[in-house]
Amino acid sequence: MPICIECRYPVSTLYTTYSKADDKALGKGVRLTQCPRCKRFADKYVEHDFVVLFIDLVLIKPQVYRHLLFNRLGREDERFDPSIVRLGILLLLFDVYLTWARIEKATPASPALPLSPPPPLPPFPSGDSGFSNSSMHGNQTLSNPESDNSILATQPILLQYLFFLALCTLETVSFHAPIRTLLSTKFPRPISALIPHYPHLALISTALLVSSFTKLFPLMLLVWNYDLPSSASAVSWAVIINNIAALEILLGCGYVRAALLAAVGAVCRAGIGWGILRAVGVGGGVAAAGVVETGDLIEVWRTLMETVGLG
């Protein structure tokens, strides 16, 4: 059932079509429903195009999230809207490109065989910028202390891409799964005061995917040359902030509890990513680059320890 995006009050309809002769796409022939509680339009975004929706998503306006989650993308059969499935696949492919590029940037190379940056075309880095330089130097691999024993460094480019695809898929699942599990479980008091109960699992993942749209911002790398690690770090933290805002808007639980839920998912994702990268022989510093939040927190902790004289 649709709701008012201003006060969350349920309404029967969002608009009424009173003339078939006019063009609905131009906002004609449609009369918006007035909310009986707050006396505002129940959903003003019915008349707005996607440009306005995108701008308001960037501004993290609660009204646009309620419009998307409850009045457009939410389904009563607890299934994903097809557009959300497409968005999830697109975000996954961009995540593959960013993770691969971050790890390659963080991989120390010997002076004789420097690593070239990956091409700014997601999601497939070119063959001459992987962990091995077989296309330029025969079967010779990069000689550095963290990649000599790496299983991944000796594999063909296609297998490396499939590895990063599987890695990012598992990281995404490990981020969504604990949040969905916690919210779908009815905890007794006092745990229920920290973790609210919300049984609509598809809507939870929809909120997390919609709020992760900032992962698409590296498209600007195709136009301008940015410092990739810094850009990836900024994008990752922006995604987390948007995830917290989306959970708070969906659940109405306050930012503290929403941040706690997002933190649980982020910790699980970081643990999975770190463990998989270490399992294939990727060193600690490079593995931290593959999980941006982990690498940033480690760097902040190291800087703090050096500042207080304990590093």
Side-chain angles (χ1 to χ4, degrees):
M1 186 175 185
I3 66 170
C4 171
I5 63 174
E6 303 291 344
C7 65
R8 301 175 64 101
Y9 189 78
V11 294
S12 57
T13 58
L14 298 177
Y15 61 88
T16 302
T17 303
Y18 61 87
S19 175
K20 295 183 179 179
D22 291 327
D23 188 0
K24 175 185 172 183
L26 298 177
K28 300 179 180 179
V30 174
R31 182 177 181 179
L32 297 181
T33 301
Q34 188 179 39
C35 175
R37 174 190 286 179
C38 65
K39 306 304 179 182
R40 300 180 181 179
F41 289 133
D43 193 343
K44 61 183 179 181
Y45 290 104
V46 171
E47 294 184 322
H48 293 171
D49 56 18
F50 286 102
V51 175
V52 177
L53 266 64
F54 176 77
I55 294 174
D56 286 352
L57 277 174
V58 174
L59 298 176
I60 318 181
K61 289 189 175 182
Q63 292 86 351
V64 70
Y65 274 100
R66 294 183 188 127
H67 163 75
L68 292 173
L69 297 178
F70 296 103
N71 297 342
R72 173 169 292 190
L73 300 177
R75 297 176 53 165
E76 295 181 356
D77 57 0
E78 292 296 326
R79 300 179 63 181
F80 289 107
D81 188 86
S83 60
I84 287 298
V85 176
R86 293 192 294 268
L87 175 63
I89 295 174
L90 183 62
L91 292 175
L92 179 62
L93 296 180
F94 266 85
D95 213 11
V96 170
Y97 168 73
L98 290 177
T99 302
W100 194 346
R102 286 196 303 266
I103 291 180
E104 181 164 305
K105 283 281 188 178
T107 302
S110 63
L113 296 174
L115 279 174
S116 58
L121 291 174
F124 296 99
S126 63
D128 58 348
S129 63
F131 283 91
S132 64
N133 275 1
S134 57
S135 60
M136 296 178 60
H137 302 279
N139 295 325
Q140 185 179 9
T141 57
L142 294 175
S143 58
N144 62 75
E146 291 196 356
S147 64
D148 282 342
N149 299 324
S150 173
I151 302 174
L152 189 62
T154 60
Q155 303 303 316
I157 293 299
L158 179 59
L159 290 181
Q160 291 186 31
Y161 177 78
L162 293 177
F163 166 78
F164 282 109
L165 180 62
L167 171 66
C168 293
T169 301
L170 290 176
E171 285 183 345
T172 301
V173 172
S174 63
F175 179 70
H176 286 240
I179 297 177
R180 289 164 57 111
T181 302
L182 290 174
L183 290 176
S184 62
T185 304
K186 289 185 177 181
F187 291 100
R189 288 186 174 274
I191 301 178
S192 60
L194 291 176
I195 303 176
H197 176 66
Y198 195 82
H200 306 293
L201 300 182
L203 205 54
I204 296 171
S205 290
T206 298
L208 294 175
L209 289 173
V210 170
S211 59
S212 300
F213 75 98
T214 48
K215 287 184 179 180
L216 303 179
F217 281 5
L219 275 173
M220 293 183 292
L221 291 172
L222 300 175
V223 182
W224 295 286
N225 186 20
Y226 287 94
D227 179 13
L228 184 59
S230 300
S231 302
S233 178
V235 167
S236 296
W237 286 107
V239 169
I240 291 180
I241 293 174
N242 279 272
N243 290 154
I244 295 174
L247 288 174
E248 196 282 329
I249 294 169
L250 175 66
L251 306 174
C253 60
Y255 286 102
V256 174
R257 291 197 288 177
L260 177 63
L261 290 168
V264 171
V267 168
C268 293
R269 178 179 59 191
I272 293 294
W274 180 280
I276 293 176
L277 290 172
R278 294 302 299 270
V280 298
V282 178
V286 182
V291 187
V292 173
E293 300 84 1
T294 304
D296 289 345
L297 292 177
I298 291 176
E299 186 64 28
V300 170
W301 178 258
R302 183 182 295 115
T303 303
L304 180 61
M305 291 296 99
E306 292 177 354
T307 302
V308 299
L310 298 178

